[in-house]
Amino acid sequence: MIDWMAKYGATLANTFGSPRRVLARGEGTHVWDVEGRCYTDFLSGIAVNVLGHCHAAVLGAVSAQLGTLDHVSNFFASVPQIQLAERLAGLVGATPVRVFLTNSGTEANEAGFKLARLTGRKRIVAMEGAFHGRTLGALALTWTAKYREPFEPLPGGVEFIPFGDFGALAAAVDETVAAVVVEPVQGENGVIPAPDGYLAAARAACDAAGALLWVDEVQTGLGRCGEWLVSVADGVIPDIVTLAKGLGNGFPVGACLAVGPAADLFTPGSHGTTFGGNPVAAAAALAVLDTLRDEGLVAAANAKGLRLSEAVLALGNPGIVGVRGRGLLRGIVLADPIAPAVNDALLARGWIANAPRPNVIRVAPPLIVAEDELVAFADALGEAVEEVRNAG
Ligand SMILES: *Cc1c(COP(=O)(O)O)cnc(C)c1O
C-alpha cells in the first residue's frame, strides 16, 4: 500500500502541518479516505461545499462548459461571466454594482484593498480577530500576529479596533479613513458574530465620514449564514462586498462587488487577472446559485442551524457551554481548552469538524445536510467531549 502521508510530507510545502487524512472520494455530505473509511463532512472544506460533494448540478455545468468554451483572456468576454456578474449584483439590492471576478477569497480582498486605495485616502480600519486571507494585502488586514509578522513590512495604513465595540468604531472613522472592513461573523476567530446593529453602526460611521464600508462575506455569504448576504439581510448595503468560499462549491471562484459610487473606482488598467471570471468557474458558480435558489437552501440553513444548536444544547453536557453563530456556521464553545482533542475524537467517530480556537469546535456542514445528521452529530460531539474530559 502506498504511504500517501509520507509522500505528502516529503513533497508538499510545509504550510499546513500534517494532513488529518488523505481523501479519495466524496458524495453529498460524505467523503472517503484512501483506506476506504467514510466520514460525514461537517466542515465542507471550510465552508465551501454548500451543496455537498460532487453535486450533479455543478458536475453537469462544469463538464458542459469545459466542452464548450474553457478559457478566454480578459480581452474577451464570455456569457457565463456576464451572467454570473448579473446574478451577484442582484444580491445587493442597490445599483450600480460592478463585479470583479477572482479565483479565491484573498484575491477578492486584494481587489477590495485596491478599491479602498483608489479613494485617495490612506487609512483602513480593520477588526481585531479578523481574517481576510494570506496574500500580502489581505494579510495586512488580518489580525493574527503570527500570520502577519514574519512578512512585514506589509501594506501600511491599517489600524485594528476591537470587533463589536461601537465606541471604538465611532472614534476611529473620520474623513481620513478610506474604508472600514468587517466580517459579519468572524469565522476563523471562532465563529464570533458581530453584535446586533454593529454593521448598521459601521454603515452610519462610514456615511458620516465619506468612507467605504467593506463587508467581507467570503465565509458568511451565499447561504452559509441563512442569508444570501448577511449585510443586506441586516439592512445594510455595503460599498464593497467580497465573496468566495461557497460560490463555486469547491471550484475556485471569488468576487469583489463594488456598489454605488465605488463601482466607478476601477478603470481600465487599474486591476486585472488571467483566470478570474473564466467561463468554467462562472458556470460552476451559476449552477451553485441556481441550486441554492431552486431548492430553498438559503432559508433552510436558518432552521437547520437552529436544529443543530438545539440538539447540542439538549445534551446538557457540562463540557459544552454554548453554541454561537448564524445559519449553518456554528461555533460550539467548550468549557475547557480541549477543542483539538475533541476534534480528533470526532474524526475517530467519522465526523469532520475543526477547532479554530482552543475551546471552540466549528461546524459548517453542507446546506443540503439532513436533520438526522444534525442530531447524530450532536450525539457524537457529546460522546467526544465526554471521552476527552474523562481522559483528562
Ligand atoms: C477564507 C477567508 C478568506 C480567504 O479566502 P481564500 O480563498 O482562502 O483566499 C478571506 N476572508 C474570510 C472572511 C475568509 O473566511
Side-chain angles (χ1 to χ4, degrees):
M1 187 140 191
I2 299 170
D3 188 346
W4 292 111
M5 284 289 228
K7 284 178 175 288
Y8 179 104
T11 45
L12 272 291
N14 192 21
T15 47
F16 302 107
S18 217
R20 306 185 76 204
R21 295 286 188 275
V22 180
L23 300 178
R25 188 164 72 83
E27 190 185 322
T29 54
H30 294 112
V31 291
W32 286 262
D33 68 18
V34 288
E35 285 160 32
R37 283 178 299 224
C38 180
Y39 305 88
T40 307
D41 187 358
F42 261 43
L43 189 60
S44 307
I46 313 188
V48 167
N49 300 84
V50 285
L51 304 180
H53 294 274
C54 304
H55 193 280
V58 180
L59 175 63
V62 167
S63 314
Q65 188 58 46
L66 206 44
T68 306
L69 181 65
D70 46 5
H71 173 80
V72 296
S73 71
N74 283 303
F75 295 122
F76 298 90
S78 73
V79 172
Q81 169 201 37
I82 298 165
Q83 289 175 323
L84 177 58
E86 282 184 345
R87 287 290 291 278
L88 292 174
L91 300 179
V92 177
T95 51
V97 180
R98 288 189 178 278
V99 179
F100 184 84
L101 294 169
T102 71
N103 313 287
S104 65
T106 202
E107 284 171 89
N109 284 334
E110 292 295 320
F113 203 134
K114 282 182 144 185
L115 285 172
R117 285 283 204 259
L118 287 172
T119 63
R121 297 183 182 180
K122 298 287 176 251
R123 292 174 61 212
I124 297 186
V125 173
M127 302 294 154
E128 293 180 6
F131 181 84
H132 297 291
R134 303 294 200 133
T135 50
L136 293 172
L139 195 55
L141 308 169
T142 290
W143 168 247
T144 310
K146 72 168 190 234
Y147 296 165
R148 264 189 298 123
E149 283 169 358
F151 304 102
E152 289 173 350
L154 295 168
V158 180
E159 289 155 50
F160 293 95
I161 60 170
F163 179 57
D165 179 331
F166 289 75
L169 183 64
V173 185
D174 63 22
E175 279 78 16
T176 65
V177 170
V180 173
V181 57
V182 59
E183 298 157 86
V185 179
Q186 289 188 332
E188 296 310 299
N189 196 31
V191 192
I192 303 180
D196 285 347
Y198 190 67
L199 294 182
R203 178 70 278 173
C206 287
D207 284 343
L212 301 177
L213 175 63
W214 168 6
V215 182
D216 180 344
E217 299 230 26
V218 166
Q219 186 155 164
T220 57
L222 306 173
R224 171 56 53 198
C225 289
E227 312 288 353
W228 286 101
L229 297 176
V230 173
S231 50
V232 172
D234 285 1
V236 170
I237 298 193
D239 302 292
I240 301 173
V241 182
T242 44
L243 295 168
K245 288 193 164 86
L247 183 54
N249 204 52
F251 206 97
V253 54
C256 175
L257 280 50
V259 184
D264 293 329
L265 289 169
F266 278 150
T267 52
S270 56
H271 198 32
T273 166
T274 296
F275 292 119
N278 92 77
V280 182
L286 283 165
V288 171
L289 296 175
D290 283 347
T291 307
L292 289 175
R293 179 194 59 200
D294 296 346
E295 297 186 3
L297 291 169
V298 176
N302 269 319
K304 288 178 180 180
L306 285 174
R307 185 76 194 87
L308 175 66
S309 175
E310 270 168 22
V312 170
L313 296 175
L315 297 170
N317 189 312
I320 297 173
V321 298
V323 181
R324 64 194 179 203
R326 289 176 74 156
L328 281 173
L329 179 60
R330 295 282 168 172
I332 296 138
V333 185
L334 307 180
D336 307 298
I338 55 170
V342 169
N343 195 39
D344 287 344
L346 279 168
L347 192 69
R349 285 170 169 74
W351 294 91
I352 296 176
N354 99 307
R357 312 275 306 171
N359 66 331
V360 178
I361 294 288
R362 169 175 50 179
V363 292
L367 309 190
I368 57 160
V369 68
E371 177 162 344
D372 59 355
E373 291 176 305
L374 297 169
V375 175
F377 172 81
D379 291 342
L381 177 70
E383 286 172 25
V385 169
E386 228 163 277
E387 176 187 305
V388 173
R389 279 164 64 94
N390 290 340

